[in-house]
């Protein structure tokens, strides 16, 4: 068989296959829009109607999540800052966005913002990059900080050499020391209260068998519970590291899912979604950046509406006392 004929046959196979995937993805998006239309989503007025909420800030494809309950606050990850070692040129970070939001929502009677704790889920810059700026702001009072020890052997070589995540982590440790903020590296795995919420950390110790899988294998998941309702914040927990499969049964049901790893390839697993059975999924990204197979699992198999923080300009999920869930968006206005 000639090369020309081989190329022709390959074209006949590949083109229809790609067209089929494209059409299938369009169908998935349309179905996802149908699911989203069933949600009642309104702009938040911050009028105090709800006091138990999870704020998913719009920091593009990075994580900054503010937990609020009965006047108590905690920040899980900080969003991407403007000095990412991976970036070759200047680009806008989200320091101002995150700091301004914290000061708007978590301000106390003394005029300062108060956080019971901050948590860095793992050492990637798109999760902890703004902590340096936050820790320089004396008007943000932080009671304590949870950061697992950084272990270079967990990650890939390029993460420590090219991405410089060890030095990013070390800078935050130094910032905490200068502010005299207690650093807790031995993370608790038992549930603890935050206002009306119960908070629990998962993957508090990175399994040695996952060493070398990449820094995402160190990701700390957070479950937030009020009564019969709960949310799971999946950080960069993925099936490619094996964490999604490992933790699913331990996590149990969760009505709200913050999709792991921004919806990129290998973000979650069908087993995780079947165990959690979420009613709502939030992705800290643009909707168009979610990998098709991740959308297919969530929309076609799990039948879950997906809210993207970028298109919605931030999302809040509130937990009223009546056991319902209330979703609001456009939170940065």
């Amino acid at each position: 068989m000639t090369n020309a004929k081989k190329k022709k046959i390959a074209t006949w196979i590949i083109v229809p296959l790609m067209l089929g995937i494209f059409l299938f993805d369009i169908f998935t998006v349309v179905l996802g829009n149908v699911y989203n239309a069933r949600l009642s989503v309104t702009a938040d007025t911050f009028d105090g109607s709800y006091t138990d909420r999870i704020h998913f800030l719009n920091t593009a494809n990075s994580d900054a999540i503010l937990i609020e309950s009965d006047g108590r606050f905690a920040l899980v990850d900080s969003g991407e800052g403007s000095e990412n070692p991976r970036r070759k040129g200047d680009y806008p970070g989200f320091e101002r966005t995150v700091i301004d939001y914290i000061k708007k929502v978590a301000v106390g009677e003394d005029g300062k913002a108060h956080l019971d704790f901050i948590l860095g889920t793992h050492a990637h810059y798109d999760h902890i990059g703004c902590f340096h700026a936050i820790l320089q702001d004396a008007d943000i009072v932080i009671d304590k900080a949870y950061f697992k020890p950084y272990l270079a052997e967990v990650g890939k070589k390029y993460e420590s050499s090219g991405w410089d995540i060890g030095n990013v982590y070390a800078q935050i440790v130094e910032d905490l020391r200068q502010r005299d903020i207690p650093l807790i590296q031995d993370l608790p795995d038992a549930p603890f209260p935050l206002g009306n919420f119960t908070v629990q950390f998962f993957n508090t110790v990175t399994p040695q068998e996952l060493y070398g899988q990449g820094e995402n294998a160190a990701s700390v998941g957070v479950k937030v519970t009020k009564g019969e309702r709960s949310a799971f914040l999946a950080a960069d927990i993925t099936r490619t590291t094996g964490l999604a499969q490992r933790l699913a049964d331990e996590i149990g049901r969760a009505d709200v899912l913050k999709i792991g790893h921004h919806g990129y390839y290998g973000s979650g697993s069908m087993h995780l979604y079947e165990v959690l059975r979420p009613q709502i999924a939030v992705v800290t990204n643009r909707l168009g950046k979610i990998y098709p197979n991740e959308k297919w699992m969530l929309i076609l198999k799990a039948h879950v509406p997906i809210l993207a923080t970028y298109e919605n300009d931030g999302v809040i999920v509130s937990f009223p006392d009546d056991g319902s869930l209330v979703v609001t968006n456009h939170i940065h206005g």
Side-chain angles (χ1 to χ4, degrees):
M1 186 182 297
T2 64
N3 286 337
K5 192 169 184 179
K6 288 179 181 178
K7 289 180 180 179
K8 193 172 183 178
I9 292 172
T11 301
W12 289 344
I13 295 172
I14 293 172
V15 171
L17 179 63
M18 294 301 294
L19 179 61
I21 291 173
F22 176 70
L23 293 173
F24 189 60
D25 197 45
I26 290 177
F27 169 74
T28 305
V29 171
V30 171
L31 185 61
N33 289 336
V34 171
Y35 290 159
N36 283 8
R38 296 173 183 169
L39 287 174
S40 176
V41 182
T42 58
D44 201 310
T45 59
F46 295 95
D47 61 0
S49 297
Y50 305 110
T51 60
D52 302 317
R53 314 190 287 181
I54 302 177
H55 308 245
F56 302 89
L57 277 62
N58 177 17
T59 54
N61 54 323
S62 67
D63 276 20
I65 302 168
L66 184 69
I67 303 173
E68 172 190 2
S69 183
D70 196 26
R72 313 298 289 269
F73 296 88
L75 183 65
V76 176
D77 287 332
S78 66
E80 183 176 10
S82 55
E83 299 178 353
N84 192 338
R86 294 177 62 183
R87 306 276 190 170
K88 302 304 180 186
D90 292 338
Y91 72 99
F94 291 92
E95 291 95 340
R96 197 71 263 154
T97 298
V98 176
I99 289 172
D100 287 350
Y101 192 88
I102 292 171
K103 289 183 175 180
K104 177 175 74 171
V105 176
V107 66
E109 293 181 358
D110 59 358
K112 295 179 181 288
H114 290 258
L115 301 174
D116 279 39
F117 69 84
I118 59 174
L119 166 69
T121 61
H122 60 300
H124 279 161
Y125 194 82
D126 61 333
H127 287 256
I128 64 172
C130 288
F131 276 129
H132 177 59
I134 291 168
L135 289 164
Q136 302 307 304
D137 195 318
D139 288 329
I140 300 178
V141 179
I142 301 167
D143 289 349
K144 56 183 171 291
Y146 292 110
F147 287 81
K148 287 166 64 173
Y150 170 68
L151 302 174
E153 56 267 34
V154 172
K156 307 284 188 180
K157 186 176 180 180
Y158 60 77
E159 292 178 300
S160 56
S161 59
W163 298 2
D164 204 24
I165 62 176
N167 283 331
V168 171
Y169 178 92
Q171 177 65 69
I172 293 170
V173 171
E174 176 61 18
D175 293 336
L176 292 168
R177 187 192 66 78
Q178 291 186 11
R179 285 279 305 269
D180 199 27
I181 297 171
L183 169 61
I184 301 170
Q185 293 184 301
D186 184 12
L187 269 59
D189 54 15
F192 61 92
L194 179 74
N196 297 319
F197 282 144
T198 298
V199 177
Q200 185 172 9
F201 297 152
F202 292 83
N203 196 38
T204 56
V205 178
T206 309
Q208 285 196 359
E209 55 267 35
L210 296 187
Y211 284 16
Q213 292 289 328
E215 179 63 16
N216 285 342
S219 290
V220 177
V222 182
K223 189 171 185 179
V224 180
T225 303
K226 178 183 176 182
E228 299 298 316
R229 295 291 196 179
S230 62
F232 183 66
L233 314 178
D236 277 2
I237 289 170
T238 68
R239 71 173 177 274
T240 51
T241 60
L243 271 185
Q245 299 89 316
R246 279 173 167 268
L247 294 175
D249 294 330
E250 187 180 345
I251 297 163
R253 278 277 293 115
D255 302 280
V256 181
L257 169 66
K258 197 292 293 187
I259 299 172
H261 201 208
H262 321 287
Y264 296 140
Y265 177 78
S267 294
S269 72
M270 202 58 233
H271 177 60
L272 177 70
Y273 301 147
E274 287 171 345
V275 172
L276 268 61
R277 289 183 286 125
Q279 295 182 18
I280 301 167
V282 178
V283 64
T284 50
N285 206 340
R286 296 173 184 260
L287 196 60
K289 285 191 173 183
I290 302 177
Y291 271 51
N293 62 316
E294 303 303 326
K295 282 187 293 194
W296 299 347
M297 279 194 292
L298 280 163
I299 295 173
L300 294 175
K301 293 186 176 181
H303 312 297
V304 181
I306 302 173
L307 296 168
T309 53
Y310 186 88
E311 280 83 1
N312 284 277
D313 195 26
V315 173
I316 297 174
V317 180
S318 300
F319 296 71
D321 292 339
D322 63 7
S324 63
L325 296 173
V326 177
V327 180
T328 56
N329 61 4
H330 297 289
I331 67 178
H332 293 280

